[in-house]
């Protein structure tokens, strides 16, 4: 089970780089297509072997019912189209019960974590040559996704931060912060590649990274006083490399004035304006993240009756062997590019899907593993920051590589606590 889990991890996080190196076709390459399919099959198989808790069964079943009614009943798509769209959610659906399996038994947990720590360190070191190669070949941008490949710059940056944070947290002496940072400087050095791919979220995560390295106790302010210069220095160095890596090419963006002119008009006018922009500018047009939220009411007004269940899980799932839906054909200008997770889930599964997602994230912090049930507050605060940012930043939760890294980090944020013992009632005796 453990070996199969890690095979899925490495396929999800490393085949993208190899695919881009030899095929140069991004998502359409045969290697990436096959590897993603194998990862999905591994997740499905491991889930079938590990899902035993009633909550997990009900929770997953509820999602399957919502997605089926949305995709097949309301939006009249076929069964196989629904199945293909479900793959977008395999990471979220299955990795939690799979990882809980490894944390339910102490021996199983120790073997898993011992192997995991070594592999996560290898994963971090692999990003250095991969990102440097991509940076010098393609320049800073979305193509600098490390071992994950083209289009995963945001995922790899977040993955580097949470992985380095976990490994450094295990090694740091919180009573000798500066000395510990000096001894483990390589883990800090491994953050450096995140400033070569124009990922702005890296600056937020860098600050959160160092703030949460220290225990949240009475001595926190004193420790922060000593650590503040180090944070300022690293932010300054990161800013320098980031500004040096950003190209001088102007990127097309929608201005506030643009939306003021078109929000009072109908969707056809807005779509026409974007098509005009795409034809008259060299770069592909990408509707800004926050602007997509503002367009949601216009889309649902044009298609009444979809607020509860959305437009189906298959609106993003199409390719060489699966035709795009009619909804995607109409709104490709809106669905393409980076989409915040809240936007993505609401468009696919409407209000019910958004409620399901909200409960999913809440249960991450309240469903404790039976033995490892004590919170590491620093790690869970870091996890909360990542989850909150992703709601408005990107739909990374639809990628297995992101779910692997973040949900591993989530379970590692639970530490061994006291196991509650159940006292047996005394046997009654009779004279």
């Amino acid at each position: 089970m453990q070996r199969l889990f890690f095979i899925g991890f490495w396929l999800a996080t490393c085949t993208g780089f190899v695919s881009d190196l030899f095929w140069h076709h991004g998502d359409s390459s045969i290697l990436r297509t096959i590897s993603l399919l194998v990862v999905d099959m591994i997740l499905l198989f491991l889930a079938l072997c590990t899902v035993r808790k009633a909550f997990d069964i009900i929770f997953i079943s509820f999602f399957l019912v919502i997605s089926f009614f949305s995709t097949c009943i309301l939006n009249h798509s076929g069964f196989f189209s629904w199945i293909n769209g479900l793959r977008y959610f395999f990471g979220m659906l299955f990795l939690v019960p799979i990882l809980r399996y490894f944390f339910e038994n102490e021996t199983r947990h120790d073997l898993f974590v011992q192997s995991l720590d070594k592999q996560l360190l290898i994963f971090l070191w692999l990003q250095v040559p991969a990102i440097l190669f991509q940076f010098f070949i393609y320049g800073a941008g979305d193509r600098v996704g490390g071992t994950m490949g083209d289009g995963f710059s945001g995922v790899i940056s977040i993955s580097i931060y949470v992985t380095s944070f976990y490994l450094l947290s295990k090694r740091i002496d919180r009573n000798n912060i500066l000395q510990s940072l000096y001894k483990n400087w390589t883990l800090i050095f491994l953050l450096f590649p995140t400033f070569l791919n124009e990922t702005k979220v890296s600056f937020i995560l860098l600050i959160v990274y160092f703030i949460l390295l220290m225990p949240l106790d009475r001595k926190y302010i004193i420790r922060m006083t000593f650590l503040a210069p180090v944070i300022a220095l690293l932010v300054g160095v990161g800013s320098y490399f980031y500004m040096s890596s950003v190209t001088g090419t102007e990127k097309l963006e929608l201005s506030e004035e643009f939306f003021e002119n078109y929000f009072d008009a109908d969707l056809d006018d807005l779509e026409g304006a974007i098509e005009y922009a795409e034809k008259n500018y060299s770069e592909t047009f990408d509707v800004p993240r926050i602007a997509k939220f503002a367009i949601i009411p216009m889309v649902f007004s044009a298609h009444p009756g979809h607020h509860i269940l959305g437009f189906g899980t298959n609106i993003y799932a199409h390719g060489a062997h699966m035709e795009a839906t009619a909804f995607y054909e109409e709104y490709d200008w809106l669905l393409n590019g980076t989409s915040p997770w809240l936007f993505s889930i609401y468009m696919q599964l409407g209000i019910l899907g958004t409620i399901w997602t909200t409960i999913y994230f809440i249960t991450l912090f309240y469903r404790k593993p039976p033995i490892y049930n004590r919170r590491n507050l620093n790690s869970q605060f870091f996890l909360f920051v990542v989850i909150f940012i992703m709601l408005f930043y990107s739909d990374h939760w639809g990628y297995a590589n992101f779910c692997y890294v973040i949900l591993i980090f989530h379970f590692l944020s639970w530490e061994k606590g006291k196991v509650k013992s159940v006292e047996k009632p005394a046997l009654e005796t009779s004279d």
Side-chain angles (χ1 to χ4, degrees), residues 16 52 66 94 115 134 162 168 187 203 210 217 223 227 252-253 260 263 268 280 284 286 292 312 343 354 379 405 426:
R52 295 293 181 268
I66 293 174
F94 300 142
S115 176
Q134 292 163 335
V162 299
L168 184 55
L187 289 172
F203 290 99
F210 283 100
D217 56 20
R223 294 191 183 99
L227 195 58
L252 179 63
E253 295 182 353
E260 286 178 354
F263 274 169
D268 291 335
N280 289 275
T284 302
D286 186 1
K292 291 190 176 186
F343 171 87
T354 305
S379 294
V405 175

Side-chain angles (χ1 to χ4, degrees), residues 383-396:
L383 178 67
F384 174 80
V385 170
V386 171
I387 290 175
F388 182 79
I389 290 175
M390 287 304 103
L391 293 177
F392 306 95
Y393 180 73
S394 185
D395 56 350
H396 292 342

